[in-house]
Amino acid sequence: MKKIYEKWNAIPLIARIAVFLVLGALLGIFLPQATFINIFGNVFVGALKAIAPILVFVLVVSSLANAGKGVGKQFSTVIVLYLASTLLASLIAVLASYAFPVTLKLTEAANNTAPSGIGEVLMTLINNMVQNPISAMINSNYIGILTWAVIFGLAMKKIASASTKEMLTNLSDGVSQVVRFIISFAPFGIMGLVFNSVSTNGLSIFVDYGKLLAVLVGCMLFVALVVNPLIIFICLKKNPYPLVFKCLKESGITAFFTRSSAANIPVNMQLCEKLGLDKDVYSISIPLGATINMDGAAITIAVMTLAAAHTLGVAVDIPTALVLSVLATLAACGASGVAGGSLLLIPMACSLFGIGSDIAMQVVGVGFIIGVIQDSVETALNSAGDVEFAATAEYMQWKKEGREVSFKWDK
């Protein structure tokens, strides 16, 4: 078994994923009744979601307890990059909605409860910060996990002995090894997820919501392939596409199928290790990015809100559209890192145009219908961006220190 496992890992992960992705699609087309294949996807996503809170807490505590001086210098840069990218994404979405106005076929209202305003979103974030740490880990509340991990890490840095700090390092290495083991079986998980999507949804949503999906996906691709690379180029003065394509290939593909930024945290941390980034930094910036780096969520909120306005014939002037961009940016930072997390923030944005909750929740219902594509692309954009900007911030620090920044990595 050990030799088989070693031979399996000797094959490049992306090659294994590509083969099993095609296999999952073919099984979904020709054997849609073989629903037992879904278990591979369920187990893979479940394992990632289970290990991610433990991984984040242990890595952050260990990193801060063992960190030297100056580690915190890059975090302000990372946060600025995250927020700037999200704001630009919402502006792109507004411009695209003006250029290609979309009207909706409203469906039955969704049953979920949406926040009433930005104040409620911010209050929820604050409350999540002080949630019981055990409850935060059980509920995958990453704001709470980060908050308590930082507190514990700083406390351990001050009082822990050298042997205790070494124990924390060994613990974080052990959890990281578990993550590597789970990710090595990603191809089977991807096969199950692809099978489920193809066998369940087919291509019908392209017919009913083709234009809406075209605007949403078009905006997300533009941000992924133009806006984010431009930000990276401005910061590093280097061709950004090797880094962008590396992140899209190794982070974006798994995020596309898991549809959860939170579940993709272990994948992103392993990618950061491949990129040679500082574990003390990315162990915090990656889970933080899964919370506040929400380009795709900002696009979804802005496009769906303006589609509702166009459907109802509500006039949207430029100043109000700009306010919507800022509101979408702030709201996106409060979107949960789970499938469909951005959709429940649409009613809050709709209230800016006086659109009632009944209509707004019908728009949310449309969002859930197209979510198999919209949410997949949204998560891929968000998750890949987490690594891109974490790497950019660190590479900027390298340049200040006179170190070479070279986009050459192991395959």
Side-chain angles (χ1 to χ4, degrees):
M1 288 298 294
K2 184 178 179 180
K3 290 183 178 179
I4 294 174
Y5 180 69
E6 290 175 350
K7 289 182 179 179
W8 168 258
N9 283 332
I11 304 172
L13 180 60
I14 192 65
R16 286 179 276 158
I17 288 177
V19 171
F20 278 77
L21 190 156
V22 173
L23 178 60
L26 292 175
L27 290 171
I29 293 171
F30 296 108
L31 291 173
Q33 69 277 11
T35 54
F36 68 90
I37 298 173
N38 290 335
I39 195 171
F40 291 105
N42 295 338
V43 169
F44 177 62
V45 174
L48 285 176
K49 288 183 175 180
I51 196 64
I54 301 172
L55 175 70
V56 170
F57 187 82
V58 170
L59 285 186
V60 173
V61 172
S62 175
S63 296
L64 290 177
N66 291 282
K69 295 181 179 179
V71 169
K73 292 180 180 179
Q74 296 170 38
F75 291 129
S76 58
T77 304
V78 171
I79 292 172
V80 168
L81 290 173
Y82 285 161
L83 294 180
S85 175
T86 303
L87 178 59
L88 287 173
S90 64
L91 288 171
I92 294 297
V94 168
L95 292 174
S97 295
Y98 267 108
F100 307 101
V102 176
T103 56
L104 302 174
K105 297 177 181 178
L106 297 181
T107 65
E108 293 296 324
N111 294 322
N112 307 70
T113 301
S116 59
I118 193 66
E120 184 178 343
V121 173
L122 296 176
M123 184 59 66
T124 299
L125 286 174
I126 294 172
N127 289 335
N128 285 341
M129 291 176 67
V130 294
Q131 185 181 32
N132 179 288
I134 304 299
S135 298
M137 294 185 71
I138 292 173
N139 298 321
S140 297
N141 166 20
Y142 286 93
I143 286 291
I145 293 171
L146 271 175
T147 301
W148 287 110
V150 168
I151 293 172
F152 276 102
L154 293 176
M156 296 298 285
K157 179 179 177 62
K158 187 173 182 181
I159 67 171
S161 64
S163 59
T164 301
K165 292 179 180 179
E166 183 179 358
M167 180 200 70
L168 289 172
T169 300
N170 291 337
L171 183 60
S172 69
D173 290 342
V175 176
S176 297
Q177 184 59 43
V178 173
V179 170
R180 294 187 192 99
F181 178 76
I182 294 172
I183 292 175
S184 70
F185 291 97
F188 293 99
I190 295 297
M191 178 187 68
L193 294 168
V194 172
F195 170 84
N196 183 55
S197 294
V198 173
S199 63
T200 303
N201 299 283
L203 303 176
S204 60
I205 58 173
F206 285 108
V207 177
D208 295 332
Y209 298 101
K211 187 174 182 181
L212 176 61
L213 279 169
V215 174
L216 284 166
V217 174
C219 289
M220 293 176 191
L221 291 177
F222 185 80
V223 171
L225 300 176
V226 178
V227 176
N228 287 354
L230 181 60
I231 294 174
I232 296 170
F233 174 77
I234 292 172
C235 293
L236 298 178
K237 303 298 188 292
K238 289 178 67 69
N239 177 10
Y241 285 102
L243 175 61
V244 169
F245 291 142
K246 178 80 170 179
C247 293
L248 287 173
K249 181 177 74 172
E250 299 201 17
S251 173
I253 289 177
T254 55
F256 181 91
F257 293 107
T258 63
R259 293 173 59 193
S260 170
S261 296
N264 219 48
I265 287 174
V267 177
N268 281 352
M269 287 193 174
Q270 187 178 60
L271 176 54
C272 287
E273 184 179 357
K274 287 184 180 180
L275 297 179
L277 305 185
D278 186 346
K279 188 176 183 179
D280 291 343
V281 179
Y282 72 69
S283 63
I284 300 176
S285 60
I286 290 301
L288 182 64
T291 304
I292 69 171
N293 181 43
M294 291 289 178
D295 296 5
I299 290 170
T300 297
I301 293 168
V303 169
M304 296 294 283
T305 300
L306 289 176
H310 291 142
T311 300
L312 298 176
V314 177
V316 182
D317 55 33
I318 293 178
T320 306
L322 294 176
V323 172
L324 173 63
S325 298
V326 176
L327 181 63
T329 300
L330 295 174
C333 294
S336 60
V338 297
S342 61
L343 296 176
L344 290 178
L345 295 168
I346 292 172
M348 181 189 65
C350 284
S351 66
L352 181 66
F353 303 101
I355 299 173
S357 60
D358 289 343
I359 296 296
M361 290 307 290
Q362 290 185 53
V363 177
V364 173
V366 173
F368 278 111
I369 292 173
I370 65 172
V372 66
I373 294 175
Q374 166 268 324
D375 199 40
S376 296
V377 180
E378 173 184 316
T379 310
L381 170 61
N382 293 343
S383 192
D386 293 347
V387 183
E388 289 170 13
F389 295 127
T392 298
E394 183 154 345
Y395 292 153
M396 289 173 68
Q397 184 64 30
W398 287 13
K399 291 187 69 174
K400 291 179 181 178
E401 296 171 356
R403 298 167 61 184
E404 180 185 2
V405 177
S406 177
F407 293 161
K408 296 178 182 179
W409 308 287
D410 294 334
K411 293 182 180 180

